[in-house]
Amino acid sequence: ILNVEQSPQSLHVQEGDSTNFTCSFPSSNFYALHWYRWETAKSPEALFVMTLNGDEKKKGRISATLNTKEGYSYLYIKGSQPEDSATYLCAFVMGYGGSQGNLIFGKGTKLSVKP
Amino acid sequence: ETGVTQTPRHLVMGMTNKKSLKCEQHLGHNAMYWYKQSAKKPLELMFVYSLEERVENNSVPSRFSPECPNSSHLFLHLHTLQPEDSALYLCASSQGAPSGVRVTQYFGPGTRLTVL
């Protein structure tokens, strides 16, 4: 059974705070890692696809790093705003085997940003 | 957010009912997916269709029956469901083979299903 773990489960921050959360995944048979942002009652929205060890991606105030050797990815939000409130999902993609190519999701980190 | 639409958004059904969930993608993609999210669980893949052929059935009970009549439409037919099937059902689409390393899936907003 493949496990993708995200921590923390939930996070409450004040507007302007910077924050980060973790996605842990199996370090063997790595193919890709996806990050999604999911606002309540809306569709999950793709943020990043990461494939190479040491990858860093940035989109506005949100950035992500990838360490495939140790099996983790960090998502950072600089200067959180109330509109950043959402659940952030990561999804691991394995390279071969029965689930090849399929997204295996973590449970997500729910971020709440208070004005 | 009109790339992938799902109807209905909410559905309540009895265990003896038959109902269908509909998904439509307006992105010109050639692969479509059904996912299930139960309470306090991660999104779980149910079915994958690529070029209108089912390429993945993730050990889903036969009371869930998918149909992909063309590359833009995907249905999930439901019959004799159980209360534990109550969940959020999400549809997604992508361009390119599901196993493609950089293939991004675009999701619909989901159907919230309650089985009484």
Side-chain angles (χ1 to χ4, degrees):
Chain A
I1 296 176
L2 291 170
N3 265 340
V4 178
E5 302 286 342
Q6 291 191 246
S7 62
Q9 276 189 308
S10 63
L11 198 52
H12 298 264
V13 301
Q14 290 292 133
E15 183 176 354
D17 288 351
S18 293
T19 186
N20 66 84
F21 10 100
T22 307
C23 173
S24 300
F25 52 85
S27 56
S28 61
N29 197 10
F30 175 85
Y31 199 44
L33 188 87
H34 294 243
W35 280 100
Y36 282 84
R37 178 175 177 274
W38 192 4
E39 286 184 67
T40 303
K42 294 190 176 180
S43 308
E45 172 197 351
L47 287 174
F48 306 115
V49 180
M50 309 179 79
T51 56
L52 297 175
N53 185 43
D55 247 357
E56 289 189 31
K57 300 273 186 177
K58 190 173 181 183
K59 188 175 184 178
R61 293 177 292 98
I62 304 177
S63 60
T65 61
L66 179 68
N67 184 323
T68 62
K69 295 186 188 302
E70 295 181 40
Y72 64 83
S73 176
Y74 293 139
L75 189 80
Y76 300 91
I77 302 179
K78 185 177 177 182
S80 303
Q81 300 296 309
E83 57 265 30
D84 295 329
S85 297
T87 296
Y88 291 83
L89 301 174
C90 70
F92 167 75
V93 183
M94 61 189 292
Y96 55 85
S99 299
Q100 179 186 2
N102 294 335
L103 296 179
I104 301 166
F105 282 89
K107 292 183 182 180
T109 292
K110 185 172 183 178
L111 175 67
S112 299
V113 183
K114 289 186 180 178
Chain B
E1 290 183 1
T2 57
V4 182
T5 57
Q6 290 188 242
T7 53
R9 293 293 303 273
H10 299 271
L11 178 64
V12 179
M13 60 187 288
M15 288 191 284
T16 57
N17 291 160
K18 287 185 182 181
K19 296 284 184 185
S20 295
L21 310 185
K22 179 183 175 182
C23 175
E24 185 172 359
Q25 60 95 0
H26 311 272
L27 301 168
H29 290 167
N30 58 13
M32 296 188 79
Y33 312 75
W34 279 116
Y35 286 86
K36 173 184 178 182
Q37 189 183 42
S38 304
K40 299 190 179 181
K41 288 191 172 182
L43 276 169
E44 296 173 287
L45 181 67
M46 299 175 74
F47 301 105
V48 181
Y49 276 82
S50 180
L51 299 173
E52 299 156 38
E53 285 196 30
R54 193 191 310 179
V55 295
E56 182 88 25
N57 176 347
N58 212 16
S59 303
V60 179
S62 60
R63 57 186 184 269
F64 295 91
S65 174
E67 179 191 2
C68 187
N70 55 62
S71 60
S72 299
H73 293 88
L74 185 66
F75 294 90
L76 188 63
H77 303 299
L78 315 170
H79 61 99
T80 58
L81 293 193
Q82 304 298 310
E84 59 264 29
D85 296 320
S86 298
L88 182 69
Y89 290 85
L90 284 157
C91 170
S93 70
S94 67
Q95 179 59 30
S99 58
V101 65
R102 292 189 182 276
V103 169
T104 295
Q105 294 182 22
Y106 294 79
F107 285 83
T111 295
R112 174 70 62 187
L113 173 68
T114 303
V115 182
L116 300 176

